[in-house]
Amino acid sequence: MILSPFERTIARRYLLPGRSEAFIALVAGISVGVVMLSVAMLVIVMSVMNGFRAELLDKIVGLNGHAVVQAFGGRLDDWENILEDIRETPGVVRASPLIEQPLMTTFNGRVEGVFVRGNTMEDIERIGAQVVQGNIDALQPGAGKVAIGTRLAANLGVRVGDTITVINPQGRSSPFGTVPRQVGYEVAALFEVGIYNYDETFVVMPMQDAQTLLLLGDRIGMIEIKVEDADRVEEILAPVARNLTGLAQIADWKTINASLFEALQVERVAMAFALSFMVLVAAFNILSSLVMLVRAKTRDIAIMRTMGATRRSLLKIFVTTGFTVGALGTIAGLILGFIVLTFRQQIVKIIEVVTGQELWDPQVRFLSTLPARTDPVEIAMIVGLALLLSFLATLYPALKAASTDPVQVLRYE
């Protein structure tokens, strides 16, 4: 919308009302503030929800891959050929053998349920980025060393160099029944994936050591798969699923964590819908401030009409005035939202100190820190929504001002 110098001057004058119109200025200021807060809340909430989903997916995939081939009965025969076929499937980035079994571990009288994971040396090296203490390179086949999560170490009271005992119920037979198999392993490294359940239960060891512990021989329990597009995992692995019919089943990240990610999606949509009403409230504030401005400026509008101002000019003046209020609020909201997202962790800690409550319990939230990931498309949609509602809110007051009859207004002046 191109404004003439006259229209631009009047619009600027109405954006900065005089002292006699302080109440109108206050309402306009409140409108800017409400738009700012509504846009900031939408940006913050949507970014945190996106970050929560993306962070969970990244961490889960980093340890479990996008999908796993699970053998019926827990033991996959002829897995070398199956592994080779999977690696040759278009869209598969990586596939590797995996052993995972729930067992128990003890240390100094403390007992914890754990998941023993047998990984290839290549997969163990990938965990190196999450190691917070010790040396992951010490995990070599036959060395009798393992890596465990930091929270499991805290629960057991274990430090690097200590020896934990892993108990396998399927042990050797004796005259008195089956004697559980107990094997001691030195803790060579502590890792922190960032997902509470993983850091509390996982014990990682070389594949050969896991096979020995679980008496599997050369067999494995499953194959871990990573694909190039997580959202197309079912489509990419469809040929593999057909070839494995009756031998094994494929469980992808959507199936394994279905309840979690579906809940996140429902919550994300519900929050976006609810917070969008804040933008609508802000638009009504813009509407009310413009209505008050039109009523206060009725005499001025009539004089401008008698001096030659067209209805189109008045329409443009008041649309520009209201839209500028919405645009200023939107820009301020984006700035506030990005500031809060940048310092979100510090803000959480300050609130925890002030209230004395733990706001981000990793046992409930799964992640140890508050995540955030901004989606440019969603930011553009939020900005578009705020500007569209701001524009629509200006139409009625602007049309009202443009339809002012100067004769009716000035007949008694």
Side-chain angles (χ1 to χ4, degrees):
M1 184 184 296
I2 300 176
L3 302 180
S4 66
F6 161 71
E7 294 165 350
R8 192 179 303 111
T9 301
I10 299 301
R12 186 184 303 114
R13 175 69 181 83
Y14 285 171
L15 279 171
L16 301 171
R19 293 182 179 178
S20 60
E21 297 149 349
F23 184 71
I24 297 176
L26 175 63
V27 174
I30 292 174
S31 300
V32 172
V34 175
V35 174
M36 177 186 69
L37 291 176
S38 61
V39 170
M41 285 298 297
L42 268 172
V43 170
I44 294 168
V45 170
M46 297 307 293
S47 296
V48 169
M49 296 298 294
N50 288 337
F52 201 95
R53 180 184 184 276
E55 196 74 12
L56 268 178
L57 180 57
D58 289 345
K59 292 182 181 298
I60 289 173
V61 168
L63 203 60
N64 284 336
H66 290 121
V68 291
V69 175
Q70 297 177 322
F72 296 123
R75 301 190 179 193
L76 189 61
D77 298 318
D78 194 26
W79 61 270
E80 293 92 345
N81 292 328
I82 296 174
L83 179 63
E84 190 63 28
D85 291 340
I86 294 174
R87 287 174 174 172
E88 294 176 356
T89 302
V92 173
V93 176
R94 173 172 54 85
S96 56
L98 172 68
I99 294 174
E100 185 174 294
Q101 184 72 27
L103 298 176
M104 289 192 302
T105 185
T106 65
F107 178 77
N108 284 347
R110 298 183 181 181
V111 180
E112 291 287 339
V114 297
F115 274 95
V116 170
R117 287 177 60 92
N119 288 113
T120 63
M121 296 309 300
E122 182 182 358
D123 290 335
I124 289 176
E125 290 175 1
R126 291 192 181 94
I127 305 175
Q130 283 82 39
V131 171
V132 297
Q133 190 177 350
N135 181 16
I136 197 71
D137 294 332
L139 272 67
Q140 298 294 329
K145 296 184 179 181
V146 297
I148 67 175
T150 53
R151 298 191 180 276
L152 176 59
N155 293 341
L156 291 173
V158 171
R159 295 176 296 180
V160 172
D162 290 337
T163 299
I164 62 173
T165 301
V166 178
I167 303 173
N168 178 12
Q170 295 179 348
R172 64 181 185 276
S173 299
S174 71
F176 303 100
T178 302
V179 178
R181 182 178 176 81
Q182 302 184 39
V183 182
Y185 295 96
E186 180 184 338
V187 176
L190 304 181
F191 60 83
E192 185 169 348
V193 177
I195 299 180
Y196 186 87
N197 290 349
Y198 291 179
D199 294 334
E200 188 184 34
T201 59
F202 276 23
V203 175
V204 177
M205 64 177 63
M207 176 75 65
Q208 294 84 341
D209 290 357
Q211 289 173 330
T212 301
L213 173 65
L214 298 172
L215 305 175
L216 293 177
D218 292 331
R219 288 173 293 186
I220 64 171
M222 58 186 69
I223 296 176
E224 179 186 70
I225 306 172
K226 184 175 181 180
V227 298
E228 60 185 13
D229 187 352
D231 293 324
R232 295 178 52 243
V233 60
E234 294 179 358
E235 177 185 343
I236 292 173
L237 297 180
V240 177
R242 288 194 295 268
N243 294 336
L244 294 178
T245 302
L247 298 176
Q249 63 179 355
I250 297 179
D252 58 41
W253 65 270
K254 297 178 183 179
T255 304
I256 297 172
N257 306 280
S259 59
L260 175 60
F261 283 100
E262 286 178 6
L264 284 177
Q265 183 64 19
V266 171
E267 184 177 359
R268 179 171 171 271
V269 173
M271 292 295 290
F273 180 76
L275 291 176
S276 295
F277 280 95
M278 290 185 63
V279 183
L280 186 60
V281 171
F284 277 113
N285 277 340
I286 295 175
L287 173 64
S288 63
S289 65
L290 278 181
V291 169
M292 294 176 62
L293 181 62
V294 170
R295 290 182 63 86
K297 297 296 183 180
T298 300
R299 183 172 178 274
D300 293 352
I301 293 170
I303 293 174
M304 284 189 289
R305 291 280 287 119
T306 60
M307 294 178 65
T310 64
R311 295 179 184 273
R312 180 180 176 83
S313 292
L314 292 174
L315 186 68
K316 291 164 65 177
I317 288 170
F318 284 96
V319 167
T320 300
T321 302
F323 187 77
T324 302
V325 170
L328 290 175
T330 300
I331 295 172
L334 289 176
I335 295 173
L336 176 61
F338 287 129
I339 290 175
V340 172
L341 289 175
T342 301
F343 300 100
R344 63 187 182 280
Q345 206 58 44
Q346 293 87 333
I347 293 174
V348 170
K349 291 180 180 179
I350 291 173
I351 296 176
E352 288 179 343
V353 171
V354 173
T355 61
Q357 300 292 324
E358 186 176 10
L359 299 181
W360 195 259
D361 186 356
Q363 298 185 56
V364 178
R365 306 294 183 182
F366 293 98
L367 301 178
S368 53
T369 58
L370 177 64
R373 183 169 298 187
T374 303
D375 184 352
V377 175
E378 286 188 349
I379 297 299
M381 292 177 62
I382 292 171
V383 171
L385 175 65
L387 295 181
L388 175 62
L389 291 179
S390 298
F391 172 74
L392 294 177
T394 65
L395 293 182
Y396 172 75
L399 291 172
K400 191 73 174 175
S403 62
T404 299
D405 185 356
V407 175
Q408 294 296 327
V409 175
L410 299 177
R411 65 187 302 179
Y412 299 112
E413 293 292 333

